[in-house]
């Protein structure tokens, strides 16, 4: 087993060393799907532990020899976000379990945050929260300007605290990110914005605020809308194909 631990959490080493053995029967389940997320309280710390889906043999080879594991990427991306002035729940450790020398199961450990996803206030609430939408758009503009591309920038992976137009944001689910030396290229920004949600009034409002922050032209906004419409059509087609495949298998 490989355990990489942030120096500030050295006192948690005994717990982390035995975490894989106790994960399935201790802690509070926060999320359970392909990956499982549990909350643990250890020596005054609330820790969120994400256990990623166990790798098949092909992925064990890939994540041993060719790519960093998702847990390792989350840990390193958290540090890089901090260097660039952005917030994510403080990284504690990552763990890689091996079998026959190959990475089989991985865990990412970070501090718990009570912040809420922006989804409820920007998507599920009608009308959407304009002050929060404004702050969110400015936050994403700052991310892109700073060269940070979160490849899963959906409204459940951006958390917020605050009220009355004064908000702070945190990023989670950060294993899929790219960092640029300068601002994120415009085409990448447009694609990244499509991950927010459907082309709703909230999306259009966020796009307009974002565009103003980045000094985009009307032509840029029109192109961003075309990119969004194309993205949504592709997403619908993929879902239709997936559902058709499931129907055919079941029949």
């Amino acid at each position: 087993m490989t355990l990489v631990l942030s120096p500030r959490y050295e006192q948690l080493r005994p717990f982390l060393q035995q975490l894989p053995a106790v994960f399935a029967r201790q802690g509070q389940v926060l999320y359970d799907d392909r990956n499982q997320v549990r909350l643990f309280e250890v020596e005054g710390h609330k820790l969120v532990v994400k256990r990623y889906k166990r790798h098949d043999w092909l992925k064990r080879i890939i994540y041993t020899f060719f790519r960093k594991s998702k847990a390792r990427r989350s840990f390193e991306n958290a540090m890089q976000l901090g260097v660039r002035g952005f917030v994510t729940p403080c990284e504690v450790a990552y763990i890689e379990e091996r079998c026959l020398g190959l990475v089989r199961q991985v865990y990412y450990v970070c501090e718990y945050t009570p912040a809420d996803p922006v989804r409820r206030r920007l998507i599920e609430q009608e009308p959407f929260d304009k002050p929060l939408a404004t702050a969110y758009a400015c936050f994403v503009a700052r991310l892109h300007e700073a060269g940070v591309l979160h490849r899963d920038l959906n409204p459940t992976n951006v958390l917020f605290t605050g009220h009355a137009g004064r908000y702070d944001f945190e990023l989670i689910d950060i294993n899929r990110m790219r960092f640029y030396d300068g601002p994120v290229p415009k085409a990448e920004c447009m694609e990244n914005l499509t991950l927010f949600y459907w082309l709703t009034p909230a999306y259009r409002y966020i796009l307009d605020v974002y565009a103003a922050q980045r000094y985009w032209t009307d032509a840029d906004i029109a192109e961003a809308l075309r990119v969004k419409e194309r993205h949504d059509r592709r997403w619908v087609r993929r879902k239709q194909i997936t559902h058709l495949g499931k129907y055919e298998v079941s029949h």
Side-chain angles (χ1 to χ4, degrees), residues 176-196:
R176 296 176 63 239
M177 304 196 77
R178 182 173 179 182
F179 298 96
Y180 291 84
D181 290 335
V184 177
K186 187 179 292 183
E188 292 274 7
C189 293
M190 291 180 180
E191 287 289 348
N192 201 221
L193 289 169
T194 66
L195 302 179
F196 173 73

Side-chain angles (χ1 to χ4, degrees), residues 34-61:
R34 292 180 67 254
N35 309 309
Q36 189 176 99
V37 180
R38 287 178 178 257
L39 175 66
F40 295 82
E41 294 195 35
V42 185
E43 296 192 15
H45 293 275
K46 284 189 173 183
L47 303 179
V48 173
V49 182
K50 183 172 186 177
R51 183 181 69 181
Y52 290 90
K53 181 182 177 181
R54 182 171 291 185
H55 299 322
D56 58 30
W57 281 102
L58 176 59
K59 288 186 177 179
R60 291 182 193 185
I61 293 171

Side-chain angles (χ1 to χ4, degrees), residues 191 198 227-241:
E191 287 289 348
W198 298 106
V227 169
K228 175 60 176 168
E229 290 167 350
R230 184 170 63 246
H231 169 273
D232 288 356
R233 287 196 300 269
R234 289 174 177 171
W235 192 91
V236 169
R237 283 199 297 270
R238 284 198 302 271
K239 287 298 181 182
Q240 289 173 338
I241 292 171

Side-chain angles (χ1 to χ4, degrees), residues 14-27 36 38 40 51 107:
F15 166 76
L16 295 168
Q17 287 175 327
Q18 50 94 45
L19 178 61
V22 303
F23 179 85
R25 62 178 187 273
Q26 294 184 11
Q36 189 176 99
R38 287 178 178 257
F40 295 82
R51 183 181 69 181
Y107 303 78

Side-chain angles (χ1 to χ4, degrees), residues 86-114:
F86 296 97
V87 177
T88 186
C90 192
E91 71 280 2
V92 175
Y94 72 87
I95 299 169
E96 296 176 346
E97 286 190 293
R98 295 173 183 262
C99 178
L100 301 177
L102 302 179
V103 174
R104 178 181 64 172
Q105 184 90 70
V106 298
Y107 303 78
Y108 175 60
V109 187
C110 65
E111 289 273 12
Y112 170 79
T113 174

